[in-house]
Coordinates of all heavy atoms in Angstrom, one line a residue:
F1 N -8.5 -11.2 6.3 CA -7.6 -12.1 5.8 C -6.3 -12.1 6.6 O -5.7 -11.1 6.9 CB -7.3 -11.8 4.3 CG -6.2 -12.7 3.6 CD1 -6.6 -14.0 3.3 CD2 -5.0 -12.2 3.3 CE1 -5.7 -14.8 2.7 CE2 -4.1 -13.0 2.7 CZ -4.4 -14.3 2.4
R2 N -5.9 -13.3 7.0 CA -4.7 -13.4 7.8 C -3.8 -14.5 7.2 O -4.3 -15.5 6.9 CB -5.0 -13.8 9.3 CG -5.8 -12.8 10.0 CD -6.0 -13.1 11.5 NE -6.8 -12.2 12.1 CZ -6.4 -11.2 12.8 NH1 -5.1 -11.0 13.0 NH2 -7.3 -10.4 13.5
T3 N -2.6 -14.1 7.1 CA -1.5 -15.0 6.6 C -0.2 -14.6 7.2 O 0.1 -13.6 7.4 CB -1.5 -15.1 5.1 OG1 -0.6 -16.0 4.6 CG2 -1.2 -13.7 4.5
R4 N 0.7 -15.5 7.1 CA 2.1 -15.3 7.5 C 3.0 -15.3 6.4 O 4.1 -15.0 6.4 CB 2.6 -16.4 8.5 CG 1.9 -16.4 9.8 CD 2.5 -17.4 10.6 NE 1.8 -17.4 12.0 CZ 2.2 -17.9 13.0 NH1 3.3 -18.7 13.0 NH2 1.5 -17.9 14.1
R5 N 2.4 -15.5 5.1 CA 3.1 -15.5 3.9 C 3.5 -14.0 3.4 O 2.9 -13.0 3.8 CB 2.2 -16.1 2.8 CG 2.0 -17.5 3.1 CD 1.2 -18.2 1.9 NE 2.0 -18.2 0.7 CZ 1.5 -18.4 -0.6 NH1 0.2 -18.6 -0.6 NH2 2.2 -18.3 -1.6
R6 N 4.5 -14.0 2.6 CA 5.1 -12.7 2.1 C 4.8 -12.9 0.5 O 5.0 -14.0 -0.1 CB 6.4 -12.4 2.4 CG 6.7 -12.5 3.9 CD 7.3 -11.2 4.3 NE 7.6 -11.2 5.8 CZ 6.8 -10.7 6.7 NH1 5.7 -10.1 6.4 NH2 7.2 -10.8 8.0
F7 N 4.6 -11.8 -0.1 CA 4.2 -11.8 -1.6 C 5.1 -10.8 -2.4 O 5.6 -9.9 -1.8 CB 2.7 -11.3 -1.7 CG 1.8 -12.3 -1.0 CD1 1.4 -11.9 0.2 CD2 1.3 -13.5 -1.6 CE1 0.5 -12.8 0.9 CE2 0.5 -14.3 -0.9 CZ 0.1 -14.0 0.4
D8 N 5.3 -11.2 -3.7 CA 6.1 -10.4 -4.6 C 5.3 -9.1 -5.0 O 5.9 -8.0 -5.3 CB 6.5 -11.2 -5.8 CG 7.4 -12.3 -5.5 OD1 8.3 -12.1 -4.7 OD2 7.3 -13.4 -6.2
V9 N 4.0 -9.3 -5.0 CA 3.1 -8.2 -5.5 C 2.0 -8.1 -4.5 O 1.3 -9.2 -4.1 CB 2.6 -8.4 -6.9 CG1 1.6 -7.2 -7.3 CG2 3.6 -8.4 -7.9
V10 N 1.6 -6.9 -4.0 CA 0.5 -6.7 -3.1 C -0.4 -5.6 -3.8 O 0.1 -4.6 -4.2 CB 0.9 -6.2 -1.7 CG1 -0.3 -5.9 -0.9 CG2 1.9 -7.2 -1.1
V11 N -1.6 -5.9 -3.9 CA -2.5 -5.1 -4.6 C -3.7 -4.6 -3.7 O -4.3 -5.5 -3.0 CB -3.3 -5.8 -5.8 CG1 -4.3 -4.9 -6.5 CG2 -2.2 -6.2 -6.8
L12 N -3.9 -3.3 -3.6 CA -5.0 -2.8 -2.8 C -5.9 -2.0 -3.8 O -5.5 -0.9 -4.3 CB -4.5 -1.8 -1.7 CG -3.7 -2.5 -0.6 CD1 -3.2 -1.2 0.4 CD2 -4.4 -3.5 0.1
D13 N -7.0 -2.7 -4.3 CA -7.8 -2.1 -5.3 C -9.1 -1.6 -4.7 O -10.1 -2.2 -4.5 CB -8.0 -3.2 -6.4 CG -8.7 -2.6 -7.6 OD1 -9.0 -1.5 -7.7 OD2 -9.1 -3.5 -8.4
R14 N -9.2 -0.2 -4.6 CA -10.3 0.4 -4.2 C -10.9 -0.1 -2.8 O -12.1 -0.4 -2.7 CB -11.5 0.4 -5.2 CG -11.0 1.3 -6.5 CD -12.0 1.1 -7.6 NE -12.1 -0.2 -8.1 CZ -11.8 -0.5 -9.3 NH1 -11.1 0.4 -10.0 NH2 -11.8 -1.7 -9.7
V15 N -10.0 -0.2 -1.9 CA -10.4 -0.7 -0.6 C -10.2 0.4 0.5 O -11.0 0.3 1.5 CB -9.5 -2.0 -0.2 CG1 -8.1 -1.8 0.0 CG2 -10.2 -2.7 0.9
L16 N -9.2 1.3 0.4 CA -8.8 2.2 1.3 C -10.0 3.2 1.6 O -10.3 3.6 2.8 CB -7.6 2.9 1.1 CG -6.2 2.1 1.0 CD1 -5.1 2.9 0.5 CD2 -6.0 1.4 2.3
H17 N -10.7 3.6 0.6 CA -11.9 4.4 0.8 C -13.0 4.0 1.6 O -13.8 4.6 2.1 CB -12.3 5.0 -0.5 CG -13.1 4.0 -1.3 ND1 -12.5 3.1 -2.1 CD2 -14.4 3.8 -1.4 CE1 -13.3 2.3 -2.7 NE2 -14.6 2.6 -2.3
L18 N -13.0 2.6 1.8 CA -14.1 2.0 2.5 C -13.8 2.0 4.0 O -14.7 1.8 4.8 CB -14.2 0.5 2.2 CG -14.6 0.2 0.7 CD1 -14.6 -1.3 0.4 CD2 -16.0 0.8 0.5
L19 N -12.6 2.4 4.4 CA -12.1 2.5 5.9 C -12.6 3.8 6.4 O -12.6 4.8 5.6 CB -10.7 2.2 6.0 CG -10.3 0.8 5.5 CD1 -8.7 0.7 5.5 CD2 -11.0 -0.3 6.2
L20 N -12.9 3.8 7.7 CA -13.6 5.0 8.2 C -12.7 6.2 8.7 O -13.1 7.2 8.7 CB -14.4 4.6 9.5 CG -15.6 3.7 9.1 CD1 -16.3 3.2 10.4 CD2 -16.5 4.2 8.1
S21 N -11.4 5.8 8.8 CA -10.5 6.9 9.3 C -9.1 6.8 8.8 O -8.8 5.7 8.2 CB -10.4 6.8 10.9 OG -9.6 5.6 11.2
D22 N -8.3 7.9 8.8 CA -7.0 7.9 8.4 C -6.2 6.9 9.0 O -5.2 6.2 8.6 CB -6.3 9.2 8.6 CG -6.8 10.3 7.5 OD1 -7.4 9.8 6.5 OD2 -6.6 11.5 7.7
D23 N -6.4 6.7 10.4 CA -5.7 5.7 11.2 C -5.9 4.3 10.8 O -5.1 3.5 10.6 CB -6.1 5.8 12.7 CG -5.6 7.0 13.4 OD1 -4.6 7.7 12.9 OD2 -6.2 7.4 14.5
E24 N -7.2 4.0 10.4 CA -7.5 2.7 9.8 C -6.8 2.5 8.5 O -6.4 1.4 8.1 CB -9.0 2.5 9.6 CG -9.8 2.3 10.9 CD -11.2 2.1 10.7 OE1 -11.7 2.4 9.7 OE2 -11.8 1.6 11.6
R25 N -6.7 3.5 7.6 CA -6.0 3.4 6.3 C -4.5 3.3 6.5 O -3.9 2.4 5.8 CB -6.3 4.6 5.4 CG -7.6 4.6 4.8 CD -8.0 5.7 3.9 NE -8.3 6.9 4.7 CZ -9.6 7.1 5.2 NH1 -10.5 6.3 5.0 NH2 -9.8 8.2 5.9
A26 N -3.9 4.0 7.5 CA -2.5 3.8 7.8 C -2.2 2.4 8.2 O -1.2 1.8 7.9 CB -2.1 4.8 8.8
L27 N -3.1 1.8 9.1 CA -3.0 0.4 9.5 C -3.1 -0.6 8.4 O -2.3 -1.5 8.3 CB -4.0 0.1 10.6 CG -3.9 -1.3 11.2 CD1 -2.5 -1.4 12.0 CD2 -5.0 -1.5 12.2
A28 N -3.9 -0.4 7.5 CA -4.0 -1.3 6.3 C -2.8 -1.1 5.5 O -2.4 -2.2 5.0 CB -5.3 -0.8 5.5
L29 N -2.2 0.0 5.3 CA -1.0 0.2 4.5 C 0.2 -0.5 5.2 O 1.0 -1.2 4.6 CB -0.8 1.6 4.2 CG -1.7 2.4 3.3 CD1 -1.4 3.8 3.4 CD2 -1.5 1.8 1.9
E30 N 0.2 -0.4 6.5 CA 1.2 -1.0 7.2 C 1.1 -2.6 7.1 O 2.1 -3.2 7.0 CB 1.2 -0.7 8.8 CG 1.6 0.7 9.1 CD 3.1 0.8 9.2 OE1 3.9 -0.1 9.0 OE2 3.5 2.0 9.3
N31 N -0.1 -3.0 7.3 CA -0.3 -4.5 7.1 C 0.1 -4.9 5.7 O 0.7 -6.0 5.5 CB -1.7 -5.0 7.4 CG -2.0 -4.8 8.9 OD1 -1.1 -5.1 9.7 ND2 -3.2 -4.6 9.3
A32 N -0.3 -4.2 4.7 CA 0.2 -4.6 3.3 C 1.6 -4.7 3.1 O 2.2 -5.6 2.6 CB -0.6 -3.6 2.4
C33 N 2.3 -3.7 3.7 CA 3.7 -3.7 3.6 C 4.3 -4.8 4.4 O 5.4 -5.4 3.9 CB 4.3 -2.3 4.2 SG 4.0 -0.9 3.2
R34 N 3.8 -5.2 5.5 CA 4.3 -6.3 6.2 C 4.3 -7.7 5.5 O 5.0 -8.5 5.7 CB 3.5 -6.4 7.5 CG 4.1 -7.4 8.5 CD 3.2 -7.5 9.8 NE 2.0 -6.7 9.9 CZ 1.9 -5.6 10.6 NH1 2.8 -5.1 11.4 NH2 0.7 -4.9 10.7
H35 N 3.3 -7.7 4.5 CA 3.2 -8.9 3.8 C 3.9 -8.9 2.4 O 3.8 -9.8 1.6 CB 1.7 -9.3 3.6 CG 1.0 -9.6 4.9 ND1 1.4 -10.9 5.5 CD2 0.2 -9.1 5.6 CE1 0.7 -11.0 6.6 NE2 -0.1 -9.8 6.8
A36 N 4.7 -7.8 2.2 CA 5.4 -7.7 1.0 C 6.8 -8.2 1.2 O 7.4 -8.0 2.3 CB 5.4 -6.2 0.5
R37 N 7.3 -8.9 0.2 CA 8.7 -9.4 0.4 C 9.7 -8.2 0.4 O 9.4 -7.1 0.0 CB 9.0 -10.4 -0.7 CG 8.3 -11.7 -0.5 CD 8.8 -12.8 -1.4 NE 8.2 -14.0 -1.2 CZ 7.9 -15.0 -2.0 NH1 8.4 -14.8 -3.2 NH2 7.4 -16.1 -1.5
K38 N 10.9 -8.6 0.7 CA 12.0 -7.6 0.6 C 12.1 -6.8 -0.7 O 12.4 -5.7 -0.8 CB 13.4 -8.0 1.0 CG 13.4 -8.4 2.5 CD 14.8 -8.8 2.9 CE 14.8 -9.2 4.4 NZ 16.1 -9.6 4.9
R39 N 11.9 -7.5 -1.9 CA 11.9 -7.0 -3.2 C 10.5 -7.3 -3.7 O 10.2 -8.3 -4.4 CB 12.9 -7.6 -4.1 CG 14.3 -7.2 -3.6 CD 15.4 -7.6 -4.7 NE 15.1 -7.0 -6.0 CZ 15.3 -5.7 -6.4 NH1 15.8 -4.8 -5.6 NH2 15.1 -5.3 -7.6
A40 N 9.6 -6.2 -3.5 CA 8.2 -6.5 -3.9 C 7.6 -5.2 -4.5 O 8.3 -4.1 -4.5 CB 7.4 -6.7 -2.6
T41 N 6.5 -5.3 -5.1 CA 5.9 -4.2 -5.8 C 4.5 -4.0 -5.1 O 3.8 -5.0 -4.9 CB 5.6 -4.5 -7.2 OG1 6.9 -4.7 -7.9 CG2 4.9 -3.3 -8.0
M42 N 4.1 -2.8 -4.9 CA 2.8 -2.4 -4.2 C 1.9 -1.7 -5.3 O 2.5 -0.7 -5.8 CB 3.0 -1.7 -3.0 CG 1.7 -1.3 -2.3 SD 1.1 -2.5 -1.1 CE 2.4 -2.6 0.0
L43 N 0.7 -2.1 -5.6 CA -0.2 -1.5 -6.5 C -1.4 -1.0 -5.7 O -2.0 -1.9 -5.2 CB -0.5 -2.4 -7.6 CG 0.7 -3.1 -8.3 CD1 0.1 -4.2 -9.3 CD2 1.6 -2.2 -9.0
I44 N -1.6 0.3 -5.8 CA -2.7 0.8 -5.0 C -3.7 1.6 -5.9 O -3.1 2.5 -6.6 CB -2.4 1.7 -3.8 CG1 -1.4 0.9 -2.9 CG2 -3.6 2.3 -3.0 CD1 -0.8 1.7 -1.7
A45 N -4.9 1.2 -6.0 CA -5.9 2.1 -6.7 C -6.9 2.5 -5.8 O -7.6 1.7 -5.1 CB -6.5 1.2 -7.8
D46 N -7.3 3.8 -5.7 CA -8.2 4.3 -4.8 C -8.6 5.7 -5.2 O -8.1 6.2 -6.2 CB -7.6 4.3 -3.3 CG -8.7 4.0 -2.3 OD1 -9.6 4.8 -2.0 OD2 -8.8 2.8 -1.8
G47 N -9.6 6.3 -4.4 CA -10.1 7.6 -4.8 C -9.0 8.7 -4.6 O -8.1 8.5 -3.7
A48 N -9.1 9.7 -5.3 CA -8.2 10.8 -5.3 C -8.1 11.4 -3.9 O -7.0 12.0 -3.5 CB -8.5 11.8 -6.3
K49 N -9.1 11.3 -3.1 CA -9.2 12.0 -1.8 C -8.1 11.5 -0.9 O -7.6 12.2 0.0 CB -10.6 11.7 -1.1 CG -10.8 12.3 0.2 CD -12.1 11.9 0.7 CE -12.3 12.4 2.1 NZ -13.6 12.0 2.7
H50 N -7.7 10.2 -1.0 CA -6.7 9.6 -0.1 C -5.3 9.6 -0.7 O -4.4 9.1 0.0 CB -7.3 8.2 0.3 CG -8.6 8.2 0.9 ND1 -8.8 8.9 2.1 CD2 -9.7 7.7 0.5 CE1 -10.1 8.7 2.4 NE2 -10.7 8.0 1.5
S51 N -5.2 10.1 -1.9 CA -3.9 10.1 -2.5 C -2.7 10.7 -1.7 O -1.7 10.3 -1.5 CB -4.0 10.8 -3.8 OG -2.7 10.8 -4.6
P52 N -3.0 12.0 -1.1 CA -2.0 12.5 -0.1 C -1.6 11.7 1.0 O -0.4 11.6 1.3 CB -2.7 13.8 0.3 CG -3.7 14.2 -0.7 CD -4.2 12.8 -1.2
Q53 N -2.4 10.9 1.6 CA -2.1 10.0 2.6 C -1.2 8.9 2.2 O -0.3 8.5 2.7 CB -3.3 9.6 3.4 CG -3.0 8.6 4.6 CD -4.1 8.0 5.2 OE1 -5.3 8.0 4.8 NE2 -3.9 7.4 6.4
I54 N -1.6 8.3 1.0 CA -0.8 7.2 0.4 C 0.6 7.7 0.1 O 1.6 7.0 0.4 CB -1.6 6.6 -0.8 CG1 -2.9 6.0 -0.4 CG2 -0.7 5.6 -1.5 CD1 -3.9 5.7 -1.6
V55 N 0.6 8.9 -0.5 CA 2.0 9.3 -1.1 C 2.8 9.6 0.2 O 4.0 9.3 0.3 CB 1.9 10.6 -1.9 CG1 3.2 11.3 -2.2 CG2 1.1 10.2 -3.2
G56 N 2.3 10.3 1.2 CA 2.9 10.6 2.5 C 3.4 9.3 3.2 O 4.5 9.2 3.7
F57 N 2.6 8.2 3.2 CA 2.9 7.1 3.8 C 4.2 6.5 3.3 O 5.1 6.1 3.9 CB 1.8 6.0 3.8 CG 2.1 4.6 4.3 CD1 1.8 4.4 5.7 CD2 2.6 3.7 3.5 CE1 2.1 3.2 6.2 CE2 2.9 2.5 4.1 CZ 2.7 2.2 5.4
F58 N 4.3 6.3 1.9 CA 5.4 5.8 1.4 C 6.6 6.7 1.2 O 7.7 6.2 1.3 CB 5.0 5.3 -0.1 CG 4.2 4.0 -0.1 CD1 2.8 4.1 -0.2 CD2 4.8 2.8 0.1 CE1 2.2 3.0 -0.1 CE2 4.1 1.6 0.2 CZ 2.8 1.6 0.0
S59 N 6.4 8.0 1.2 CA 7.5 9.0 1.3 C 8.2 8.9 2.6 O 9.5 9.1 2.6 CB 7.0 10.4 1.1 OG 6.4 10.6 -0.3
A60 N 7.5 8.5 3.7 CA 8.2 8.4 4.9 C 8.9 7.1 5.1 O 9.5 6.8 6.1 CB 7.1 8.6 6.0
R61 N 8.9 6.3 4.1 CA 9.6 4.9 4.2 C 10.6 4.8 3.0 O 10.3 4.4 1.9 CB 8.5 3.8 4.1 CG 7.7 3.7 5.4 CD 6.3 3.2 5.2 NE 5.7 3.1 6.5 CZ 5.1 4.2 7.0 NH1 5.1 5.4 6.4 NH2 4.5 4.1 8.2
P62 N 11.8 5.1 3.4 CA 12.9 5.1 2.4 C 13.2 3.8 1.6 O 13.7 3.7 0.6 CB 14.2 5.6 3.1 CG 13.9 5.4 4.5 CD 12.4 5.3 4.7
E63 N 12.7 2.7 2.2 CA 12.9 1.4 1.6 C 11.9 1.2 0.4 O 12.1 0.3 -0.5 CB 12.6 0.3 2.6 CG 11.3 0.0 3.1 CD 11.0 0.8 4.3 OE1 11.6 1.8 4.5 OE2 9.9 0.5 4.9
W64 N 10.9 2.1 0.3 CA 9.9 2.1 -0.9 C 10.3 3.2 -1.9 O 10.6 4.3 -1.4 CB 8.5 2.2 -0.4 CG 8.0 1.0 0.4 CD1 8.1 0.7 1.7 CD2 7.4 -0.2 -0.3 NE1 7.6 -0.5 2.0 CE2 7.1 -1.0 0.7 CE3 7.1 -0.5 -1.5 CZ2 6.5 -2.3 0.5 CZ3 6.5 -1.7 -1.8 CH2 6.2 -2.6 -0.8
R65 N 10.1 2.9 -3.1 CA 10.4 3.9 -4.2 C 9.2 3.9 -5.0 O 8.7 2.9 -5.5 CB 11.6 3.5 -5.0 CG 11.9 4.3 -6.2 CD 13.2 3.7 -6.8 NE 13.1 2.5 -7.6 CZ 12.7 2.3 -8.9 NH1 12.5 3.5 -9.5 NH2 12.6 1.2 -9.4
A66 N 8.7 5.2 -5.3 CA 7.5 5.4 -6.2 C 8.0 5.0 -7.6 O 8.8 5.5 -8.1 CB 7.0 6.8 -6.1
L67 N 7.1 4.2 -8.2 CA 7.3 3.9 -9.7 C 6.4 4.8 -10.6 O 6.8 5.2 -11.6 CB 7.0 2.4 -9.9 CG 7.9 1.4 -9.3 CD1 7.4 -0.1 -9.5 CD2 9.3 1.6 -9.7
K68 N 5.2 4.9 -10.1 CA 4.2 5.7 -10.8 C 3.2 6.2 -9.9 O 2.7 5.5 -8.9 CB 3.5 4.9 -12.0 CG 2.6 5.7 -12.8 CD 2.1 4.9 -13.9 CE 1.0 5.8 -14.6 NZ 0.6 5.3 -15.9
Q69 N 2.7 7.4 -10.0 CA 1.6 7.9 -9.1 C 0.8 8.9 -10.0 O 1.3 9.7 -10.8 CB 2.2 8.5 -7.9 CG 2.9 9.8 -8.0 CD 3.6 10.2 -6.7 OE1 4.4 9.6 -6.2 NE2 3.0 11.3 -6.3
S70 N -0.4 8.9 -9.6 CA -1.4 9.8 -10.2 C -2.5 10.1 -9.1 O -2.3 9.5 -8.0 CB -2.1 9.4 -11.4 OG -2.9 8.2 -11.2
K71 N -3.5 10.8 -9.4 CA -4.6 10.9 -8.3 C -5.2 9.7 -7.8 O -5.7 9.6 -6.6 CB -5.7 11.9 -8.9 CG -5.3 13.3 -9.2 CD -6.4 14.1 -9.7 CE -5.9 15.5 -10.1 NZ -7.0 16.2 -10.8
R72 N -5.3 8.7 -8.6 CA -6.0 7.5 -8.2 C -5.2 6.3 -8.2 O -5.7 5.2 -7.8 CB -7.2 7.3 -9.2 CG -8.1 8.4 -9.2 CD -9.4 8.1 -10.2 NE -10.3 9.3 -10.2 CZ -11.2 9.5 -9.4 NH1 -11.4 8.7 -8.4 NH2 -11.9 10.6 -9.5
F73 N -3.9 6.3 -8.6 CA -3.0 5.2 -8.6 C -1.7 5.4 -8.0 O -1.1 6.6 -8.2 CB -2.8 4.7 -10.1 CG -4.0 4.3 -10.7 CD1 -4.7 5.2 -11.7 CD2 -4.6 3.0 -10.5 CE1 -5.8 4.7 -12.3 CE2 -5.7 2.6 -11.2 CZ -6.3 3.5 -12.1
Y74 N -1.1 4.5 -7.3 CA 0.1 4.6 -6.7 C 0.9 3.2 -6.8 O 0.2 2.2 -6.3 CB 0.1 5.0 -5.3 CG 1.4 5.4 -4.6 CD1 2.0 6.7 -4.9 CD2 2.3 4.5 -4.0 CE1 3.2 7.0 -4.3 CE2 3.4 4.8 -3.5 CZ 3.9 6.1 -3.7 OH 5.3 6.4 -3.2
F75 N 2.0 3.2 -7.5 CA 2.8 1.9 -7.7 C 4.2 2.2 -7.1 O 4.8 3.2 -7.4 CB 3.0 1.7 -9.1 CG 1.7 1.4 -9.9 CD1 1.8 1.3 -11.2 CD2 0.5 1.2 -9.4 CE1 0.7 1.0 -12.0 CE2 -0.7 1.0 -10.0 CZ -0.6 0.8 -11.4
A76 N 4.5 1.4 -6.2 CA 5.8 1.4 -5.5 C 6.6 0.2 -5.5 O 5.9 -0.9 -5.6 CB 5.6 1.9 -4.0
E77 N 7.8 0.2 -5.3 CA 8.7 -0.9 -5.3 C 9.6 -0.8 -4.0 O 10.1 0.2 -3.7 CB 9.6 -0.9 -6.5 CG 10.5 -2.0 -6.6 CD 11.3 -2.0 -7.9 OE1 12.1 -1.0 -8.1 OE2 11.2 -2.8 -8.7
R78 N 9.8 -2.0 -3.4 CA 10.7 -2.1 -2.3 C 11.9 -2.9 -2.7 O 11.8 -3.8 -3.3 CB 10.0 -2.7 -1.1 CG 10.9 -2.8 0.1 CD 10.2 -3.1 1.4 NE 9.7 -4.3 1.5 CZ 8.9 -4.7 2.6 NH1 8.8 -3.9 3.5 NH2 8.3 -5.9 2.5
G79 N 13.1 -2.4 -2.2 CA 14.3 -3.1 -2.4 C 15.2 -2.6 -3.4 O 15.1 -1.7 -4.1

């Protein structure tokens, strides 16, 4: 899916575990962030195995703030 649009809400629902490597997952997260507006919410549901990578990704980006996180869910807000 390719678009130049930006969105208020970006949802990744059980898609990251389908990617083969951490690099591919990081790229998918980068792309999702690129399509989020300056004041946006990101909702991620995925397997617990990738939770540390997701948390680490957003922790390294001060423009994003965690709203809720568990082993299988991560909700963040930018702005």
Side-chain angles (χ1 to χ4, degrees):
F1 176 72
R2 294 183 188 264
T3 183
R4 293 182 182 196
R5 295 182 63 195
R6 305 242 184 255
F7 301 94
D8 294 323
V9 177
V10 177
V11 178
L12 299 176
D13 186 5
R14 293 177 293 254
V15 68
L16 296 176
H17 72 278
L18 298 172
L19 302 175
L20 299 178
S21 69
D22 286 347
D23 289 340
E24 287 180 342
R25 282 183 280 282
L27 181 60
L29 291 169
E30 286 284 351
N31 286 331
C33 288
R34 188 178 6 253
H35 292 291
R37 288 192 173 153
K38 289 185 180 182
R39 294 195 50 81
T41 302
M42 180 85 61
L43 311 172
I44 301 171
D46 213 282
K49 178 180 178 181
H50 303 297
S51 182
Q53 182 181 11
I54 295 166
V55 171
F57 177 89
F58 285 99
S59 294
R61 286 155 182 81
E63 69 274 18
W64 288 94
R65 172 177 77 89
L67 298 174
K68 180 176 181 167
Q69 67 185 69
S70 68
K71 290 180 186 175
R72 298 184 186 275
F73 298 100
Y74 190 85
F75 298 169
E77 179 180 63
R78 178 163 65 183

